[in-house]
Amino acid sequence: MITDSTSRVPAATRVLVLGGTGKSGTRVAAALRRGGLSPAVASRRGPVRFDWADRSTWEPALPGVDAVYVVDSQGPDAAAEVRDFAATAARAGVRRLVLLSARVWGESDGDRLATERAVRASGLEWTILRPTWFAQNFTELDILGSLLDGPGELRLPTGEGREAFVDLEDLADVAVAALTQDGHAGRTYVLSGARSLSFGEAVAEIARATGRPLRFVPVSEDAYREEFTALGHPDDVADEMLALYRHIREERGATVTDGVREALGRAPRDFAEYVARTDFDAARTRA
């Protein structure tokens, strides 16, 4: 068990980070470096080329790799891709897979859970991470960018629903533990932050920290769809986002869980910690 992302990890461990230039992958790679490793950062345009849609990129990414942080394609073939990748990884000598899933997928036995089943059936040591919504989505998710730009409004159909927003730094620490330390195989960690907040409460904390007149405006699903598609987003993406927001409105992610403590032996970071250390001016250029 490690206690934070600066703990030293076995130098012989070689880790491949899929989605290594994404929100979670960049932080997992950084946490591994703080632990003394040089992870292989993989993406379609990363230092190690990896593309779920191009299977010829899979095997060349794996020589000498001991553990893989798996971020799937989220496409309709994701479960089959993960299943076949796991088989390729096993032949290459990989021992561990750590899958980024989501807490929302734990609510029903749908297509998304098929990816988890593929990892469990791989024959390798596996760990599954099911986080709540990332706190960093407030600054790094394009569809929430209107909070930092324009009128300073966040208009969503989440009502007063609460979510236990997880800090991506905690997720990265848990991922590093599972990738590099014994004792995490066969575990599913349900990760959350230290408390539950509504979007209105979260925006109010950001407003106080930045001194900006930011506000959350609850809207109906129909109004959200109309505004979202008017920005050029397709209907199928709107459907997916509405399902996620409905999950929050119904407070199915509001429960604070012990996943971070189970994995790391410490409490999760509070949302206020994320707000305090975030440069929201710089974040505006990334959102």
Side-chain angles (χ1 to χ4, degrees):
M1 178 181 294
I2 69 169
T3 56
D4 58 56
S5 60
T6 62
S7 298
R8 304 294 296 183
V9 295
T13 302
R14 178 166 170 78
V15 179
L16 176 67
V17 180
L18 303 186
T21 57
K23 283 195 291 291
S24 70
T26 55
R27 289 172 171 88
V28 171
L32 287 163
R33 293 187 191 101
R34 288 194 294 272
L37 295 185
S38 298
V41 175
S43 69
R44 284 177 293 179
R45 290 176 292 276
V48 176
R49 184 166 181 269
F50 184 93
D51 187 343
W52 283 111
D54 182 358
R55 294 182 177 227
S56 70
T57 66
W58 296 6
E59 190 172 351
L62 290 168
V65 168
D66 183 67
V68 182
Y69 177 68
V70 180
V71 178
D72 70 60
S73 68
Q74 297 189 15
D77 299 322
E81 291 166 349
V82 170
R83 180 197 63 211
D84 295 345
F85 172 77
T88 302
R91 290 193 297 270
V94 172
R95 293 192 305 119
R96 290 176 176 163
L97 300 177
V98 176
L99 174 70
L100 176 65
S101 185
R103 185 166 171 178
V104 62
W105 309 141
E107 299 295 327
S108 62
D109 191 21
D111 291 341
R112 297 288 188 175
L113 286 180
T115 306
E116 293 189 10
R117 291 195 294 271
V119 168
R120 290 191 179 99
S122 67
L124 304 176
E125 295 181 18
W126 57 265
T127 307
I128 293 169
L129 310 183
R130 285 186 182 169
T132 55
W133 264 60
F134 304 151
Q136 283 78 2
N137 281 346
F138 283 94
T139 46
E140 299 178 27
L141 191 65
D142 288 345
I143 57 175
L144 301 187
S146 62
L147 177 64
L148 301 175
D149 294 304
E153 287 185 353
L154 186 59
R155 299 169 60 85
L156 296 176
T158 55
E160 296 301 315
R162 302 167 75 83
E163 179 80 0
F165 300 103
V166 69
D167 194 314
L168 273 171
E169 298 298 337
D170 281 341
L171 184 148
D173 287 350
V174 174
V176 170
L179 288 162
T180 64
Q181 305 293 331
D182 293 332
H184 302 281
R187 300 293 301 273
T188 297
Y189 291 121
V190 182
L191 306 176
S192 81
R195 59 191 167 111
S196 295
L197 299 90
S198 68
F199 268 87
E201 291 168 332
V203 169
E205 291 204 17
I206 296 171
R208 285 193 294 272
T210 61
R212 296 178 186 165
L214 309 176
R215 67 188 188 119
F216 171 72
V217 180
V219 298
S220 69
E221 289 196 356
D222 288 342
Y224 175 80
R225 177 185 293 279
E226 182 177 352
E227 294 175 10
F228 189 70
T229 55
L231 294 173
H233 300 291
D235 282 333
D236 60 338
V237 177
D239 290 338
E240 184 173 352
M241 296 311 302
L242 284 169
L244 292 173
Y245 293 137
R246 193 175 303 124
H247 181 270
I248 294 171
R249 188 172 66 249
E250 296 172 355
E251 297 201 325
R252 288 185 281 159
T255 303
V256 173
T257 61
D258 291 328
V260 172
R261 188 178 297 279
E262 289 171 0
L264 303 177
R266 63 162 176 79
R269 293 173 172 89
D270 190 83
F271 186 81
E273 295 180 56
Y274 150 73
V275 172
R277 71 170 188 270
T278 298
D279 183 342
F280 286 90
D281 286 321
R284 293 178 70 181
T285 65
R286 298 195 303 269

